[in-house]
Amino acid sequence: MAPVVLEVRPRFRTADAEVTVGSGAECDIVLAEPTVSRLHARLRREPHTGLWCVTDLESERGTYQDGVLILPGRPAPLLCRSRLTLGNVELLFLQTYAFEQSVRVSSLTPPVSLTRRR
């Protein structure tokens, strides 16, 4: 199965940008998987540092970062490359430069092309 590539971008451009992930239609990223809670996690860019963090929103099965359970309600920083597990779904979070490096060194042709709007 080819990976799905999404650019994490909040709906509204604000200093404290956030993106919700879950199985509910109200989420920014909807994962149609029964093991994912309706409102499972939030990705948030800290306004002062620009660093993205993930917070588990008291999901039923928890959120794991690189195999370690994240405490509900406590933001965990997302480094240049972080593997997130929500229920039975695995996501790979890449900071922009890590994604670009991954594409450059990959011997496989990317299944999608991304464009960036400014």
Side-chain angles (χ1 to χ4, degrees):
M1 175 191 255
V4 175
V5 178
L6 301 172
E7 181 179 5
V8 176
R9 186 185 318 159
R11 290 182 192 184
F12 306 104
R13 292 190 179 270
T14 61
D16 57 341
E18 68 177 45
V19 175
T20 55
V21 183
S23 61
E26 69 276 11
C27 292
D28 299 304
I29 298 174
V30 178
L31 302 173
E33 162 64 42
T35 60
V36 174
S37 294
R38 186 169 183 79
L39 187 57
H40 200 107
R42 175 181 30 247
L43 303 173
R44 183 175 186 267
R45 188 173 55 219
E46 297 298 327
H48 301 296
T49 64
L51 183 70
W52 283 89
C53 294
V54 60
T55 304
D56 179 79
L57 300 174
E58 298 185 13
S59 64
E60 186 174 322
R61 294 185 182 227
T63 300
Y64 293 79
Q65 180 182 12
D66 298 321
V68 177
L69 180 65
I70 296 171
L71 293 173
R74 293 214 176 157
L78 293 168
L79 305 176
C80 66
R81 182 181 193 100
S82 296
R83 184 174 39 91
L84 300 174
T85 307
L86 289 72
N88 290 338
V89 176
E90 189 171 293
L91 307 171
L92 181 61
F93 180 91
L94 299 171
Q95 296 287 354
T96 303
Y97 58 88
F99 172 74
E100 291 169 351
Q101 180 183 19
S102 176
V103 169
R104 271 194 305 273
V105 299
S106 175
S107 61
L108 301 174
T109 304
V112 296
S113 63
L114 297 177
T115 57
R116 184 182 296 165
R117 288 185 281 160
R118 294 209 179 236

